Amino acid sequence: MLDLLFYVVMLALFALLVVGGLWLVRGYTGGQSPMTALFGERPEKRLAVVEHASVDGRRRLVLIRRDDVEHLIMTGGPVDVVIETGIGPASTSVPKAEVATANFARPARTFGRVQPQAQDVAE
């Protein structure tokens, strides 16, 4: 019984020494964790997954950001594919809808009717 009491007291003293040592190290490092004090600050993360979406059972679209540039990648198929690269940071303003314009001009269809010519209209 006396041996058991001796081991419990020794364990309590050892735990007290460990906690006191950690407390002193924390006070010495100015409130930083001991790991930060020993190894320095962690570098800023350069790579992050911004969004991901499932295309089907196997394939997935992943939008990743590296150094403030985004890349859209499709994974899970027979080959991983970079769909778009060099995407800038997303803007907070909503772009206005653009009016679709034709790339070329052609006369309207008449469906058998004769269109008046421009010189006939001017007279």
Side-chain angles (χ1 to χ4, degrees), residues 4-123:
L4 181 63
L5 182 63
F6 175 75
Y7 288 122
V8 169
V9 169
M10 292 307 280
L11 182 64
L13 284 174
F14 180 73
L16 186 62
L17 282 172
V18 169
V19 169
L22 289 175
W23 182 66
L24 286 174
V25 167
R26 189 164 179 94
Y28 175 73
T29 59
Q32 296 177 343
S33 70
M35 298 305 273
T36 303
L38 291 174
F39 300 112
E41 294 289 330
R42 285 187 176 183
E44 184 178 336
K45 288 187 175 183
R46 296 179 55 205
L47 185 65
V49 175
V50 178
E51 288 185 45
H52 57 88
S54 181
V55 175
D56 57 23
R58 292 180 54 185
R59 294 179 295 173
R60 165 173 239 116
L61 282 172
V62 181
L63 183 64
I64 63 169
R65 179 182 298 132
R66 180 195 50 83
D67 296 334
D68 296 329
V69 178
E70 295 178 350
H71 308 278
L72 184 62
I73 301 171
M74 182 180 291
T75 63
V79 176
D80 294 343
V81 179
V82 176
I83 295 176
E84 188 174 356
T85 185
I87 306 168
S91 63
T92 57
S93 63
V94 177
K96 295 181 180 179
E98 295 181 10
V99 177
T101 57
N103 292 337
F104 59 92
R106 77 172 193 210
R109 294 184 181 176
T110 60
F111 296 109
R113 292 179 285 166
V114 176
Q115 288 274 359
Q117 296 297 325
Q119 54 185 307
D120 296 337
V121 176
E123 293 174 356

